Amino acid sequence: MKPKKSCLKCPVCDTELYVVEQMNLYKCDQNHAFDRAKEGYVNLLLSHKKKSKNPGDSQEMVVSRQSFLAKGFYEPISDEINKTVKAYFKSVAKTPETFLDLGCGEGYYLKRLIQSLEHAQTAYYGLDISKSAVKLASKNHKEAHWIVANSFFTPFSDHSLSGILSVFSPIDMSECKRMLKEDGVLIRVFPETNHLMQLKEVIYPEIKVKEYEQYLNDLEGLEVVSVKNVAYDITLKNEDLVQLLLMTPHFWRVKEENKIALLKMDTIVVTVSVSIGVYQQSKGRL
Ligand SMILES: C[S@@+](CC[C@H](N)C(=O)[O-])C[C@H]1O[C@@H](n2cnc3c(N)ncnc32)[C@H](O)[C@@H]1O
Ligand SMILES: [Zn+2]
């Protein structure tokens, strides 16, 4: 049987990567081969390109995020992402052929997107540098292809993707531009200054106000189509608070006494405030 074409390229030699279903592996013409793990994911991160043994979010962070997200606290964000993706493809009168969640974590947003789009013809991919995250994603969600790789040097071919989603994850705009098709779209979710502010007020003696303009400028040849803010309050019980803290980088930065103050709280009302940016290839700059 002929191997199936994919939109992936070999991380060793950059030539096209094929899926050989009957052998459960990905292979290029130069015979570089990458096994599919028993959970279904493929690891395309070369060990000499890793900066640490286990890059990305740890198992503990991933499991905390999964428990927190399962309670629905970020469901309005996911619903708005799904609405945005649907509206975009309706506006260009196309069905996405290929769609990637970049920095997908354990797959919460991609899973809900697949359910909401019902596009059986679309090939869905989730990519994260954390093996723990991708392992969990592929165990739980069989409807997508899961890949361990680096967002800054992805194994996707040039102009191979109809859509890219990035939620709270590090991203390289020029790499996104390279991967996107001519009429492809990048949907990027980023936190606003007041996101989780009440939590930050307890754990940091001084809050640094971040400049989020970078999300709207410095686009490396992509242009902003629209930006929509999603904001609402959530009430967290102590257990939720612990999970939220563990799933974010805050936990590792906070001083012990501030951590204790937070962990003593029974409940806290916290503002969720994010923006969803839609970006396209700039005309004539592919
Ligand atoms: C804040 S989490 C967001 C995860 C998921 N999008 C969500 O919102 O549930 C950031 C994710 O980016 C991943 N990450 C960090 N650096 C990365 C890189 N260079 N390439 C790919 N993923 C990376 C982490 O492992 C983590 O899963
Ligand atoms: Zn190769």
Side-chain angles (χ1 to χ4, degrees):
M1 202 198 283
K2 255 188 102 191
K4 247 194 338 203
K5 271 187 141 197
S6 74
C7 49
L8 295 169
K9 56 180 187 155
C10 172
V12 180
C13 68
D14 260 5
T15 63
E16 198 172 335
L17 211 54
Y18 297 90
V19 186
V20 190
E21 288 292 353
Q22 61 274 44
M23 292 173 76
N24 239 342
L25 52 78
Y26 290 69
K27 191 177 144 305
C28 74
D29 282 339
Q30 313 282 322
N31 278 332
H32 300 122
F34 304 88
D35 288 329
R36 231 187 229 147
K38 66 176 187 310
E39 294 85 358
Y41 70 90
V42 61
N43 189 346
L44 298 179
L45 196 62
L46 302 177
S47 45
H48 67 276
K49 296 244 169 112
K50 287 200 269 189
K51 288 207 177 111
S52 63
K53 190 162 177 280
N54 293 309
D57 284 6
S58 65
Q59 173 76 5
E60 193 181 21
M61 288 172 88
V62 169
V63 170
S64 304
R65 182 172 306 118
Q66 186 187 35
S67 308
F68 181 84
L69 291 173
K71 293 176 188 165
F73 291 120
Y74 284 1
E75 212 171 279
I77 303 177
S78 163
D79 288 344
E80 196 57 43
I81 292 170
N82 297 349
K83 250 169 73 182
T84 309
V85 174
K86 266 187 195 168
Y88 179 82
F89 285 103
K90 197 170 171 209
S91 76
V92 293
K94 283 207 170 148
T95 305
E97 281 171 49
T98 46
F99 197 98
L100 167 68
D101 184 351
L102 198 54
C104 59
E106 43 69 55
Y108 172 78
Y109 295 96
L110 185 58
K111 181 188 173 147
R112 294 194 85 246
L113 179 71
I114 295 172
Q115 285 166 349
S116 124
L117 284 184
E118 297 167 351
H119 286 158
Q121 301 309 318
T122 309
Y124 293 99
Y125 295 86
L127 177 157
D128 202 287
I129 203 165
S130 158
K131 196 160 138 187
S132 305
V134 173
K135 209 180 218 176
L136 197 59
S138 58
K139 233 188 219 168
N140 295 331
H141 314 308
K142 298 294 175 202
E143 52 292 85
H145 307 277
W146 301 100
I147 301 165
V148 180
N150 190 339
S151 294
F152 290 77
F153 313 95
T154 81
F156 283 86
S157 310
D158 292 359
H159 310 302
S160 59
L161 294 171
S162 316
I164 300 174
L165 172 66
S166 161
V167 187
F168 300 133
S169 295
I171 187 172
D172 180 44
M173 293 304 262
S174 50
E175 187 65 346
C176 288
K177 180 177 171 58
R178 181 188 69 73
M179 291 187 281
L180 279 179
K181 292 179 190 229
E182 193 176 0
D183 55 358
V185 66
L186 165 66
I187 314 275
R188 183 174 192 194
V189 179
F190 53 89
E192 288 292 341
T193 311
N194 57 339
H195 181 58
L196 306 182
M197 187 51 98
Q198 299 87 338
L199 182 110
K200 291 180 206 155
E201 277 166 3
V202 183
I203 58 180
Y204 294 121
E206 210 179 303
I207 297 172
K208 286 187 203 125
V209 177
K210 281 197 189 161
E211 292 300 336
Y212 287 105
E213 273 124 51
Q214 51 159 316
Y215 295 114
L216 304 173
N217 301 317
D218 194 17
L219 300 178
E220 305 280 351
L222 293 175
E223 63 187 33
V224 182
V225 179
S226 63
V227 180
K228 180 165 182 182
N229 182 238
V230 178
Y232 54 95
D233 286 347
I234 52 177
T235 304
L236 302 177
K237 291 196 292 232
N238 185 274
E239 178 197 86
D240 312 324
L241 201 55
V242 174
Q243 281 163 355
L244 178 60
L245 200 60
L246 280 173
M247 71 186 234
T248 61
H250 298 302
F251 184 78
W252 314 101
R253 294 191 201 129
V254 176
K255 279 199 186 138
E256 205 53 37
E257 65 255 36
N258 296 340
K259 219 182 274 180
I260 291 167
L262 187 82
L263 296 180
K264 274 189 187 157
M265 295 179 116
D266 278 341
T267 59
I268 182 172
V269 176
V270 178
T271 301
V272 173
S273 178
V274 303
S275 280
I276 301 180
V278 176
Y279 310 81
Q280 254 180 343
Q281 298 277 12
S282 303
K283 297 275 170 283
R285 286 194 59 191
L286 197 63

